[in-house]
Amino acid sequence: VNCGAIPENLLESEFFGYEKGSFTGAAARKKGKFEQAHQGIIFLDEIGDISLAIQAKLLRVLQEREFNRVGGNKSINVDVRFIAATNKNLPDMVKKGTFREDLYHRLNVFPLVLPPLRKRDDIAELADYFLNSRPENRSEPVTISRNAMDYLNAYSWPGNVRELKNTIERAAILTGTGVIETSDLPLNILEQDTNN
């Protein structure tokens, strides 16, 4: 569930589902994502974007393994493993009072910290993966020149992996030779010093 992409007023019914007639347009009972994930895993992306009110309800699911559908009064038990991700600094949000401390500790059982792309050494592997995962690459393979790769490796990647993916897709479209050259790269990458 991409928590940042779902409007706040719909997030609760997306998570917990709803009962028929619980609000205008609720013509039938609907299972929420937690109920659908029973005996499985649910990935909560951009967890730092949810409101304090939804955080309180999410905490109940994490602690008690139960919830009520919107408009319902029957508790539904679930056995779900939670994985959460965010690009926000949750400890800072806890200090500012914008993220619940108890929820943070419930989610922070086994943290995995992924360094930003600029601090990693797998840009070439990721670029190759993005090139090879393009459907049109099966008939027209595209590669990256050494010089272009030097620029990709030197760039700071403020948009992280998404920016790299978009850059590779753009360059693959622009190349007319099947080899991505520096001329196929965006100007912001070419302005970066490759001697870093």
Side-chain angles (χ1 to χ4, degrees), residues 33-42 65 77-81:
K33 298 295 186 193
F34 294 128
E35 196 170 353
Q36 292 173 26
H38 180 62
Q39 296 185 326
I41 299 171
I42 189 163
R65 302 287 182 183
N77 294 311
V78 288
D79 177 17
V80 178
R81 178 171 287 164

Tab-separated table of all heavy atoms in Angstrom, residues 33-42 65 77-81:
chain	number	residue	atom	x	y	z
A	33	LYS	N	-7.087	-3.914	2.904
A	33	LYS	CA	-5.784	-4.508	2.602
A	33	LYS	C	-5.292	-5.432	3.717
A	33	LYS	O	-4.682	-6.455	3.455
A	33	LYS	CB	-4.738	-3.422	2.354
A	33	LYS	CG	-5.037	-2.533	1.170
A	33	LYS	CD	-4.993	-3.289	-0.126
A	33	LYS	CE	-5.140	-2.328	-1.300
A	33	LYS	NZ	-5.404	-2.991	-2.541
A	34	PHE	N	-5.564	-5.073	4.978
A	34	PHE	CA	-5.113	-5.937	6.075
A	34	PHE	C	-5.824	-7.276	6.056
A	34	PHE	O	-5.212	-8.315	6.259
A	34	PHE	CB	-5.302	-5.253	7.434
A	34	PHE	CG	-4.434	-4.045	7.619
A	34	PHE	CD1	-4.972	-2.840	7.996
A	34	PHE	CD2	-3.067	-4.118	7.416
A	34	PHE	CE1	-4.173	-1.730	8.169
A	34	PHE	CE2	-2.257	-3.015	7.581
A	34	PHE	CZ	-2.815	-1.810	7.955
A	35	GLU	N	-7.102	-7.258	5.808
A	35	GLU	CA	-7.866	-8.501	5.744
A	35	GLU	C	-7.424	-9.338	4.537
A	35	GLU	O	-7.308	-10.558	4.621
A	35	GLU	CB	-9.356	-8.169	5.650
A	35	GLU	CG	-10.253	-9.329	5.955
A	35	GLU	CD	-11.721	-8.913	6.089
A	35	GLU	OE1	-12.031	-7.709	6.074
A	35	GLU	OE2	-12.550	-9.827	6.199
A	36	GLN	N	-7.156	-8.688	3.424
A	36	GLN	CA	-6.689	-9.392	2.235
A	36	GLN	C	-5.309	-10.015	2.446
A	36	GLN	O	-4.985	-11.031	1.843
A	36	GLN	CB	-6.628	-8.441	1.033
A	36	GLN	CG	-7.983	-7.974	0.557
A	36	GLN	CD	-7.870	-6.911	-0.519
A	36	GLN	OE1	-6.885	-6.837	-1.238
A	36	GLN	NE2	-8.890	-6.077	-0.635
A	37	ALA	N	-4.497	-9.385	3.313
A	37	ALA	CA	-3.126	-9.870	3.547
A	37	ALA	C	-3.060	-10.931	4.644
A	37	ALA	O	-1.968	-11.377	5.000
A	37	ALA	CB	-2.228	-8.693	3.915
A	38	HIS	N	-4.197	-11.353	5.184
A	38	HIS	CA	-4.222	-12.342	6.264
A	38	HIS	C	-3.321	-13.539	5.921
A	38	HIS	O	-3.389	-14.090	4.831
A	38	HIS	CB	-5.659	-12.809	6.513
A	38	HIS	CG	-5.796	-13.812	7.601
A	38	HIS	ND1	-5.457	-13.552	8.904
A	38	HIS	CD2	-6.227	-15.099	7.572
A	38	HIS	CE1	-5.682	-14.625	9.637
A	38	HIS	NE2	-6.153	-15.572	8.843
A	39	GLN	N	-2.468	-13.906	6.861
A	39	GLN	CA	-1.490	-14.989	6.748
A	39	GLN	C	-0.440	-14.712	5.670
A	39	GLN	O	0.143	-15.629	5.107
A	39	GLN	CB	-2.169	-16.340	6.526
A	39	GLN	CG	-3.017	-16.737	7.710
A	39	GLN	CD	-3.604	-18.119	7.571
A	39	GLN	OE1	-3.935	-18.563	6.473
A	39	GLN	NE2	-3.728	-18.806	8.699
A	40	GLY	N	-0.212	-13.434	5.429
A	40	GLY	CA	0.794	-13.031	4.452
A	40	GLY	C	1.553	-11.809	4.945
A	40	GLY	O	1.703	-11.588	6.140
A	41	ILE	N	1.999	-11.021	3.992
A	41	ILE	CA	2.809	-9.836	4.277
A	41	ILE	C	2.147	-8.632	3.652
A	41	ILE	O	1.644	-8.705	2.529
A	41	ILE	CB	4.233	-10.001	3.692
A	41	ILE	CG1	4.924	-11.203	4.332
A	41	ILE	CG2	5.058	-8.736	3.901
A	41	ILE	CD1	6.232	-11.574	3.655
A	42	ILE	N	2.154	-7.518	4.370
A	42	ILE	CA	1.681	-6.261	3.803
A	42	ILE	C	2.837	-5.266	3.869
A	42	ILE	O	3.514	-5.149	4.886
A	42	ILE	CB	0.419	-5.730	4.507
A	42	ILE	CG1	-0.165	-4.545	3.736
A	42	ILE	CG2	0.682	-5.362	5.944
A	42	ILE	CD1	-1.598	-4.219	4.096
A	65	ARG	N	-3.469	-7.244	16.636
A	65	ARG	CA	-3.749	-8.093	15.466
A	65	ARG	C	-5.240	-8.164	15.174
A	65	ARG	O	-5.771	-9.196	14.766
A	65	ARG	CB	-3.176	-9.510	15.637
A	65	ARG	CG	-1.696	-9.555	15.882
A	65	ARG	CD	-0.969	-9.238	14.629
A	65	ARG	NE	0.482	-9.329	14.854
A	65	ARG	CZ	1.367	-9.054	13.939
A	65	ARG	NH1	0.981	-8.666	12.745
A	65	ARG	NH2	2.642	-9.142	14.190
A	77	ASN	N	-9.797	-10.479	13.282
A	77	ASN	CA	-8.433	-10.854	13.638
A	77	ASN	C	-7.637	-11.160	12.377
A	77	ASN	O	-8.160	-11.800	11.454
A	77	ASN	CB	-8.424	-12.082	14.557
A	77	ASN	CG	-9.059	-11.782	15.894
A	77	ASN	OD1	-8.748	-10.790	16.532
A	77	ASN	ND2	-9.974	-12.644	16.310
A	78	VAL	N	-6.384	-10.706	12.370
A	78	VAL	CA	-5.511	-10.962	11.223
A	78	VAL	C	-4.140	-11.412	11.705
A	78	VAL	O	-3.665	-11.019	12.766
A	78	VAL	CB	-5.351	-9.724	10.308
A	78	VAL	CG1	-6.609	-9.439	9.535
A	78	VAL	CG2	-4.880	-8.514	11.072
A	79	ASP	N	-3.536	-12.248	10.909
A	79	ASP	CA	-2.164	-12.689	11.124
A	79	ASP	C	-1.367	-12.167	9.931
A	79	ASP	O	-1.395	-12.754	8.850
A	79	ASP	CB	-2.108	-14.218	11.194
A	79	ASP	CG	-0.692	-14.743	11.338
A	79	ASP	OD1	0.213	-13.959	11.699
A	79	ASP	OD2	-0.489	-15.938	11.070
A	80	VAL	N	-0.707	-11.029	10.123
A	80	VAL	CA	-0.032	-10.340	9.031
A	80	VAL	C	1.361	-9.920	9.470
A	80	VAL	O	1.557	-9.460	10.591
A	80	VAL	CB	-0.824	-9.076	8.599
A	80	VAL	CG1	-0.107	-8.314	7.502
A	80	VAL	CG2	-2.221	-9.440	8.157
A	81	ARG	N	2.318	-10.098	8.595
A	81	ARG	CA	3.663	-9.566	8.816
A	81	ARG	C	3.725	-8.212	8.129
A	81	ARG	O	3.322	-8.073	6.985
A	81	ARG	CB	4.714	-10.495	8.233
A	81	ARG	CG	6.129	-9.952	8.402
A	81	ARG	CD	7.149	-10.957	8.024
A	81	ARG	NE	7.180	-11.958	9.069
A	81	ARG	CZ	7.739	-13.153	8.954
A	81	ARG	NH1	8.311	-13.500	7.828
A	81	ARG	NH2	7.740	-14.004	9.947
